Amino acid sequence: MKNIKSYFDHTTDWDEYNLELSAYQKELNGDIKGAINDISLAINKKPNYHYLFFERGKYFFKIKNYDKAFNDLNTFIEAGKKVHYEAVFFKEICELIINKGSIQNDTIKYFEVEYKLHNKKIFKTYFLFINALEKSLKKDYEKSLDFIIQIKDLYKDFRKDENYFLLEHLPIEMKPILNLCWEIF
């Protein structure tokens, strides 16, 4: 079994810890709504454990409930003492989808700077995906595909990568294009 790091490690709040573990197990079994229920119960018991809002926000994101995901992620980010790149990334995606708007330059600059500082593929992936999503929401599928191909080039086996699920959040019009491209490339 995969060992997970929990906000509740080294705590005596076992009810919340057990709810978080239960949520994680439900997620592994594909029961995202059950995971949301468990995390919501933990939040009701300990609303100051802001990390739970991040967890629930990710679950809402996975089921494409972008409004609720945005709210939870924003609650977590505002409560934090330092920037949490994954929360910023998911929040930005939610905002783009909800508003069908454009990228906030601060977010793009943040991921560009982080990539240059740390040279981690994840920052470059997030940067490229946000750009791909923005272009696809504006129906510029060709430019969107250019960004997706760059992600695929970063991860030679992107279809098996844990970030592959992000493609599910692109507009449905992109699905045939992506399917065709995987076969060609």
Side-chain angles (χ1 to χ4, degrees):
M1 184 172 134
K2 182 179 175 185
N3 187 10
I4 62 170
K5 180 146 180 72
S6 168
Y7 179 81
F8 295 104
D9 284 353
H10 313 295
T11 185
T12 57
D13 298 320
W14 293 109
D15 288 340
E16 290 77 23
Y17 180 77
N18 288 335
L19 285 167
E20 186 184 12
L21 285 177
S22 174
Y24 176 73
Q25 289 299 319
K26 287 178 181 177
E27 176 193 19
L28 287 177
N29 293 323
D31 182 10
I32 304 298
K33 290 181 181 180
I36 289 169
N37 289 336
D38 286 353
I39 293 292
S40 295
L41 288 170
I43 288 172
N44 287 337
K45 291 180 178 219
K46 296 288 184 178
N48 291 329
Y49 287 174
H50 295 105
Y51 188 75
L52 293 171
F53 286 95
F54 171 66
E55 291 297 320
R56 189 172 69 178
K58 287 192 311 185
Y59 294 144
F60 279 131
F61 178 82
K62 285 185 176 186
I63 63 168
K64 300 181 181 181
N65 190 331
Y66 300 113
D67 290 317
K68 288 183 178 181
F70 177 87
N71 291 334
D72 278 356
L73 294 165
N74 197 48
T75 298
F76 171 70
I77 291 167
E78 288 179 355
K81 294 180 175 113
K82 64 180 184 173
V83 176
H84 188 280
Y85 71 88
E86 193 175 12
V88 170
F89 173 68
F90 287 124
K91 179 184 166 206
E92 184 67 26
I93 291 174
C94 292
E95 190 168 17
L96 277 169
I97 292 170
I98 291 166
N99 299 324
K100 295 190 183 339
S102 61
I103 300 169
Q104 294 180 7
N105 286 332
D106 291 345
T107 302
I108 288 301
K109 286 179 185 169
Y110 169 73
F111 287 118
E112 279 182 309
V113 168
E114 289 298 312
Y115 177 68
K116 288 176 184 172
L117 286 175
H118 305 290
N119 198 27
K120 289 188 177 180
K121 288 195 282 187
I122 193 66
F123 294 119
K124 179 94 175 190
T125 302
Y126 286 176
F127 167 79
L128 293 169
F129 184 80
I130 289 171
N131 279 289
L133 177 61
E134 181 195 31
K135 297 301 180 201
S136 67
L137 289 170
K138 291 181 176 181
K139 302 195 183 312
D140 189 348
Y141 303 124
E142 188 175 326
K143 284 187 182 172
S144 177
L145 186 58
D146 288 341
F147 288 113
I148 298 296
I149 290 170
Q150 288 180 56
I151 293 171
K152 187 177 182 286
D153 289 343
L154 277 176
Y155 295 92
K156 297 300 179 199
D157 204 4
F158 182 63
R159 288 184 118 167
K160 295 180 182 175
D161 186 82
E162 66 184 46
N163 293 307
Y164 184 72
F165 83 96
L166 292 172
L167 298 181
E168 297 172 17
H169 299 276
L170 292 170
I172 196 157
E173 295 87 359
M174 285 289 295
K175 302 295 186 227
I177 297 167
L178 289 172
N179 289 338
L180 178 62
C181 287
W182 292 136
E183 297 304 320
I184 293 172
F185 299 107

